């Protein structure tokens, strides 16, 4: 039966010193100590003076062998060790504050067979802190809990602080429940090798609840698990003097939602055994939703002393110079990495520091981690929502820059407040969604490895605005065409290359029979310095659309200074309106492979080869479905080397109206060896009306087609994309280089 603390004063004399008000009426001062009035020489109502003194502060020290409950209305002073013995329990209600004054001698410990119940709430946590006027790390010890769960240090081991026994065989051992606890200014030092942590859990079992716990400004580790099986959820460690969260000695618990910042050494130190890296049971854990905000000196994760079997997912790391640290002398840790025992997925780096390395591990298995998009503990580098109200010292601002790489399987939203660095491929997997807000800037640094790909049945929504576009560009100090790949979108719409075809860049599958397939919505996007080269025949375009369906919105898109084509449609049925291509290294806008979409308002300038290249199929000019399109309001500003329009590889069924060109030497190019293209012209399948050739270049020809049908085009005054050769009004604000 639990008793109130104040009924235990006589039997637990060393625990608490409380002097209650006397009820003695014969006090010599004329006061009545139980009349509810401050009279005589009382200093308070019915206490003080000749009555017993009024005490608002109770002293904690000694041993608890029974059930003791503290009172949140009383502020406690921890003057020495308070130890809950086997069979005893200590209950601490929400809002209780305990202030420590005893240095290394002041700590709270829970022995094997004892229990502690910290019943804080989000709005009213329990706080264990320093009583110093100017509190500092190391002012007192911390909280120690010892259980009967397994460790690889053995059984009946003595804790490094507190000198208590821990370890056993009870996986589900229960040391109580700790919720909404904040420990501050812990880490008092015995010696260089023996310091208190904020909270130390020695062989604590899975029957124990341990969640919503913060260590703040501790002198050593924030929270440390020494073996055991207890789970740790919703943990916060801020400004630890050593590692922020540490686990070792065969810990077999799991952890989720950890927010770590300001630690002096490792964000997380995970090890197996400091004496024997192969000791059993081996440290084995699954961690998820982790944020580490640096700087750190020993990595966001230090995998050491044999490491263990770690599976970590959704790991967000900001402002560090080293992601995963592994000593090259740690043979046991290296062997485990080579064996696949360390797996990290959706690892995202932000605000990377000078000299940044993902890992210093030099072994052959460099695929133990995969980068991805992560929210970490909830909000990336910013304080997670679940930490509100009961924690202190968290920075609520997010990262200024974040790395992008890996795969997206859920819904990820990018925002304009963060500058993103695309370090490798970022693939939106089937079922995943990538949302990009207006004003977002993505800078790519990874060459041919750096591109954004959208798989079949995935979705991308680029929500730019006329005065606030989304920009995908080069991260180089002096950007140039070909610095990175580009944007690749794959859909389920028909192409004449077949179904389940592999894209020439990105190695993604595309093509199907869903004409109205939707890959999302793209509006007000500018891609710059794309076109990284794999080979002479394999280069990225600015935007490549493979079998993209008519359910997709694709408008107000610019390619600028791309190394290959600006925008290219590989089959599909998507409509492309309000497109701009400036200074492409090959063709400006290209369509082929049975594209059946339409296009209007295209402004093209500075392309190296054709303004528009339109073809059916490079292997079979008569392949079906035949490329069929209606284009209108087109401007091509030369010079060009392969015509304002290159009708090739079977061409297709093209109807083009209001086609303005300037500064070109060839209007419509058709190779005399392209029998399928010529047959279509003779059949009337290429019709161009209101074509205007202005400011023609030396040697100008309207067309080099020599067939009988020379009436497939008719000249007239044209305005093209809106203003002839001048930039169209609809391009104002979101484009560059016009």
């Amino acid at each position: 039966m639990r008793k109130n603390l104040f009924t235990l004063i006589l039997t637990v004399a060393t625990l608490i010193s409380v002097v209650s008000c006397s009820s003695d009426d014969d006090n010599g001062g004329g006061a009545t100590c139980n009349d509810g009035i401050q009279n005589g020489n009382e200093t308070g109502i019915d206490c003080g003076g000749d009555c017993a003194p009024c005490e608002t502060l109770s002293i904690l020290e000694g041993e608890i062998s029974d059930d003791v409950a503290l009172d949140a209305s009383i502020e406690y002073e921890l003057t020495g060790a308070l130890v809950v013995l086997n069979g005893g329990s200590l209950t601490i209600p929400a809002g209780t504050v305990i202030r420590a004054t005893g240095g290394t001698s002041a700590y709270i410990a829970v022995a094997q067979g004892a229990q502690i119940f910290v019943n804080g709430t989000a709005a009213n946590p329990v706080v264990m802190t320093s009583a110093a006027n100017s509190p500092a790390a190391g002012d007192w010890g911390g909280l120690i809990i010892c259980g009967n769960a397994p460790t690889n240090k053995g059984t009946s081991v003595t804790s490094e602080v507190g000198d208590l026994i821990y370890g056993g065989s009870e996986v589900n051992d229960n040391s109580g429940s700790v919720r909404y606890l904040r420990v501050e200014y812990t880490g008092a030092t015995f010696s260089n090798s023996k310091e208190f942590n904020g909270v130390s859990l020695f062989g604590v079992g899975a029957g124990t609840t341990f969640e919503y716990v913060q260590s703040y400004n501790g002198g050593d580790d924030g929270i440390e698990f020494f073996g055991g099986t207890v789970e740790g959820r919703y943990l916060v460690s801020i400004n630890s003097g050593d590692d922020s969260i540490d686990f070792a000695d065969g810990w077999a618990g799991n952890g989720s939602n950890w927010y770590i910042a300001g630690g002096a050494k490792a964000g997380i130190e995970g090890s197996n055994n400091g004496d024997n890296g192969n000791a059993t049971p081996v440290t084995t854990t699954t961690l998820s939703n982790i944020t580490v905000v640096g700087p750190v000196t020993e990595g966001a994760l230090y995998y050491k002393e044999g490491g263990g079997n770690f599976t970590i997912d959704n790991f967000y790391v900001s402002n560090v110079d080293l992601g995963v640290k592994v000593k090259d002398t740690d043979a046991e840790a290296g062997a485990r990495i080579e064996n696949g025992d360390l797996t990290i997925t959706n690892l995202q780096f932000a605000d990377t520091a000078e000299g940044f390395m993902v890992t210093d591990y030099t072994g052959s298995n460099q695929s133990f981690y995969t980068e991805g998009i992560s929210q970490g503990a909830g909000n990336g580098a910013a304080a997670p929502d679940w930490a509100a109200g009961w924690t202190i010292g968290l920075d609520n601002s997010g990262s200024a820059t974040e790395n992008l790489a890996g795969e997206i399987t859920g819904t990820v939203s990018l925002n304009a407040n963060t500058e993103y660095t695309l370090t490798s491929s970022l693939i939106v997997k089937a079922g995943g969604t990538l949302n990009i807000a207006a004003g977002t800037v993505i800078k790519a640094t990874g060459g041919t490895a750096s591109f954004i790909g959208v798989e079949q049945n995935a979705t991308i929504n680029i929500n730019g605005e006329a005065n606030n576009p989304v920009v995908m560009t080069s991260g180089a100090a002096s950007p140039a065409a070909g610095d990175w790949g580009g944007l690749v979108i794959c859909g389920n719409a028909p192409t004449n290359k077949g179904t389940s075809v592999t894209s020439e860049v990105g190695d993604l599958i595309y093509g199907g029979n869903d004409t109205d397939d939707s890959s999302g919505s793209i509006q007000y996007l500018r891609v710059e310095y794309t076109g990284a080269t794999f080979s002479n025949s394999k280069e990225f375009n600015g935007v490549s659309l493979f079998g993209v369906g008519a359910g997709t919105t694709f408008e107000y898109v610019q390619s600028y200074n791309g190394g290959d084509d600006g925008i290219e449609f590989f089959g599909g049925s998507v409509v492309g309106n309000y497109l701009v291509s400036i200074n492409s290294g090959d063709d400006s806008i290209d369509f082929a492979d049975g594209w059946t979409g339409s296009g209007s308002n295209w402004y093209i300038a500075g392309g190296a080869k054709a303004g528009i290249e339109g073809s059916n199929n490079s292997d079979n000019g008569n392949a079906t479905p035949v490329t069929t399109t209606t284009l209108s309001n087109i401007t091509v500003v030369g010079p060009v080397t392969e015509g304002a329009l290159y009708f090739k590889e079977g061409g297709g069924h093209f109807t083009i109206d209001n086609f303005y060109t300037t500064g070109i030497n060839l209007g419509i190019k058709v190779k005399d060896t392209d029998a399928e293209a010529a047959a279509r012209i003779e059949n009337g399948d290429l019709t161009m009306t209101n074509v205007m050739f202005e400011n023609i270049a030396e040697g100008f020809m309207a067309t080099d087609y020599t067939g009988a049908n020379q009436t497939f085009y008719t000249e007239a005054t044209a305005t093209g994309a809106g203003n002839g050769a001048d930039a169209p009004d609809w391009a104002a604000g979101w484009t560059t280089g016009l």
Side-chain angles (χ1 to χ4, degrees):
M1 176 179 179
R2 179 166 293 140
K3 304 175 184 177
N4 184 278
L5 174 65
F6 303 108
T7 69
L8 296 171
I9 298 300
L10 296 178
T11 59
V12 193
T14 59
L15 170 63
I16 295 180
S17 174
V18 174
V19 183
S20 61
C21 294
S22 170
S23 60
D24 184 3
D25 288 334
D26 185 13
N27 51 37
T32 301
C33 294
N34 60 2
D35 62 1
I37 302 171
Q38 182 177 342
N39 50 22
N41 61 1
E42 295 174 359
T43 59
I45 296 174
D46 291 344
C47 61
D50 291 331
C51 298
C54 300
E55 290 287 347
T56 59
L57 182 68
S58 290
I59 305 302
L60 294 180
E61 186 176 342
E63 296 178 342
I64 296 174
S65 58
D66 207 333
D67 298 330
V68 171
L70 304 188
D71 183 343
S73 67
I74 296 174
E75 186 172 287
Y76 296 93
E77 181 178 343
L78 181 68
T79 57
L82 176 63
V83 182
V84 188
L85 299 175
N86 183 9
S89 72
L90 174 62
T91 299
I92 309 177
T96 302
V97 176
I98 300 171
R99 299 185 186 275
T101 60
T104 54
S105 65
Y107 59 90
I108 297 174
V110 181
Q112 283 183 321
Q115 291 186 310
I116 185 170
F117 298 94
V118 177
N119 299 324
T121 65
N124 215 14
V126 170
V127 179
M128 300 177 182
T129 189
S130 167
N133 290 330
S134 299
D139 276 353
W140 66 290
L143 174 62
I144 302 165
I145 305 175
C146 294
N148 292 286
T151 85
N152 62 30
K153 289 288 190 179
T155 59
S156 300
V157 192
T158 301
S159 61
E160 69 177 28
V161 289
D163 294 326
L164 299 175
I165 300 302
Y166 72 97
S169 59
E170 297 181 32
V171 172
N172 294 315
D173 187 41
N174 185 351
S175 295
S177 174
V178 179
R179 301 184 79 245
Y180 292 106
L181 167 67
R182 190 169 76 237
V183 294
E184 305 172 351
Y185 308 106
T186 59
T189 303
F190 285 101
S191 66
N192 289 338
S193 61
K194 195 173 182 182
E195 294 176 298
F196 282 97
N197 303 308
V199 182
S200 301
L201 300 109
F202 292 92
V204 175
T208 308
T209 298
F210 188 74
E211 59 187 15
Y212 301 102
V213 177
Q214 177 183 14
S215 170
Y216 176 71
N217 282 5
D220 196 51
D221 296 342
I223 298 168
E224 185 162 2
F225 301 84
F226 297 85
T229 51
V230 63
E231 293 201 358
R233 304 186 311 129
Y234 302 101
L235 306 184
V236 176
S237 183
I238 304 295
N239 301 340
S240 291
D242 199 328
D243 307 309
S244 295
I245 298 182
D246 196 341
F247 52 85
D249 302 346
W251 181 52
N254 297 322
S256 64
N257 296 286
W258 291 2
Y259 184 87
I260 293 165
K265 294 188 178 178
I268 297 172
E269 183 177 281
S271 58
N272 189 44
N273 185 294
D275 301 314
N276 175 9
N278 287 323
T280 57
V282 175
T283 298
T284 301
T285 186
T286 296
L287 305 179
S288 60
N289 308 336
I290 310 296
T291 289
V292 174
V293 179
V296 294
T297 59
E298 294 186 343
L301 169 68
Y302 190 176
Y303 185 80
K304 64 181 295 192
E305 295 168 349
N309 304 317
F310 302 0
T311 300
I312 305 175
D313 182 59
N314 193 22
F315 191 13
Y316 185 98
V317 179
S318 174
N319 191 31
V320 305
D321 60 354
L322 178 59
V324 183
K325 179 176 178 63
V326 187
K327 279 188 177 179
D328 56 13
T329 56
D330 194 335
E332 294 89 353
R336 287 208 167 88
I337 293 176
E338 293 305 310
N339 196 45
D341 294 338
L342 174 60
T343 303
I344 305 173
T345 52
N346 293 310
L347 171 62
Q348 184 172 20
F349 295 101
D351 297 327
T352 54
E354 185 176 357
F356 169 76
M357 297 170 61
V358 173
T359 181
D360 62 0
Y361 179 64
T362 57
S364 59
N365 179 15
Q366 292 293 316
S367 61
F368 68 86
Y369 69 92
T370 56
E371 295 184 61
I373 306 300
S374 169
Q375 293 301 310
N379 293 321
D385 295 344
W386 52 260
W390 61 279
T391 62
I392 61 172
L394 278 67
D395 186 353
N396 286 297
S397 63
S399 293
T401 66
E402 288 184 350
N403 287 8
L404 298 178
E407 297 177 346
I408 294 173
T409 56
T411 298
V412 169
S413 297
L414 308 185
N415 65 81
N417 296 324
T418 303
E419 183 178 284
Y420 298 93
T421 302
L422 184 68
T423 58
S424 186
S425 62
L426 176 65
I427 308 298
V428 188
K429 304 292 286 183
T433 299
L434 175 60
N435 299 315
I436 308 180
T440 301
V441 175
I442 299 172
K443 294 184 176 180
T445 60
T448 53
S450 184
F451 66 94
I452 296 176
V454 182
E455 286 189 345
Q456 286 181 317
N457 304 311
T459 301
I460 185 169
N461 296 310
I462 297 178
N463 301 314
E465 299 169 348
N467 292 310
N468 204 21
V470 170
V471 179
M472 300 177 181
T473 189
S474 168
S478 300
D483 276 352
W484 66 291
L487 175 61
V488 180
I489 305 175
C490 294
N492 294 286
T495 85
N496 61 30
K497 290 287 189 178
T499 58
S500 299
V501 191
T502 301
S503 61
E504 71 176 28
V505 289
D507 293 326
L508 303 176
I509 300 300
Y510 72 97
N513 54 20
D514 186 356
T515 301
D516 294 321
D517 185 42
S518 175
S519 297
S521 175
I522 298 174
Q523 293 183 300
Y524 294 105
L525 166 67
R526 190 169 77 236
V527 295
E528 304 174 347
Y529 307 107
T530 59
T533 303
F534 285 100
S535 65
N536 288 337
S537 61
K538 194 173 181 183
E539 295 176 298
F540 281 98
N541 304 307
V543 182
S544 301
L545 300 110
F546 291 93
V548 175
T552 308
T553 298
F554 188 76
E555 59 187 16
Y556 301 101
V557 177
Q558 177 183 13
S559 170
Y560 175 70
N561 282 5
D564 196 51
D565 296 342
I567 299 168
E568 185 163 1
F569 302 84
F570 296 85
S573 49
V574 63
V575 173
N577 294 329
Y578 302 101
L579 306 184
V580 176
S581 183
I582 304 295
N583 301 341
S584 290
D586 199 330
D587 307 309
S588 294
I589 298 181
D590 195 341
F591 52 85
D593 301 345
W595 181 52
T596 57
S598 60
S600 67
N601 296 286
W602 292 2
Y603 185 87
I604 293 164
K609 294 187 177 180
I612 298 172
E613 182 177 282
S615 59
N616 189 44
N617 186 296
S618 58
D619 300 314
N620 176 9
N622 288 322
T624 58
V626 175
T627 299
T628 302
T629 187
T630 297
L631 305 179
S632 60
N633 308 335
I634 310 295
T635 289
V636 176
V637 178
V640 293
T641 59
E642 293 186 344
L645 170 68
Y646 190 175
F647 188 79
K648 63 181 295 192
E649 294 166 348
H653 306 297
F654 300 1
T655 300
I656 304 175
D657 182 60
N658 191 19
F659 190 35
Y660 176 94
T661 72
T662 183
I664 65 170
N665 62 353
L666 177 59
I668 302 103
K669 179 176 178 63
V670 186
K671 278 188 176 178
D672 56 13
T673 57
D674 194 337
E676 294 89 353
R680 288 208 166 87
I681 293 176
E682 293 304 311
N683 195 45
D685 293 338
L686 174 61
T687 302
M688 302 177 68
T689 53
N690 297 308
V691 178
M692 184 173 183
F693 302 111
E694 192 168 59
N695 299 321
I696 56 176
E698 185 177 355
F700 170 78
M701 298 172 61
T703 182
D704 63 359
Y705 178 64
T706 58
N709 180 12
Q710 292 292 316
T711 61
F712 66 86
Y713 70 94
T714 57
E715 296 185 52
T717 300
T719 57
N723 294 321
D726 293 334
D729 296 344
W730 51 261
W734 62 278
T735 61
T736 188
L738 275 68

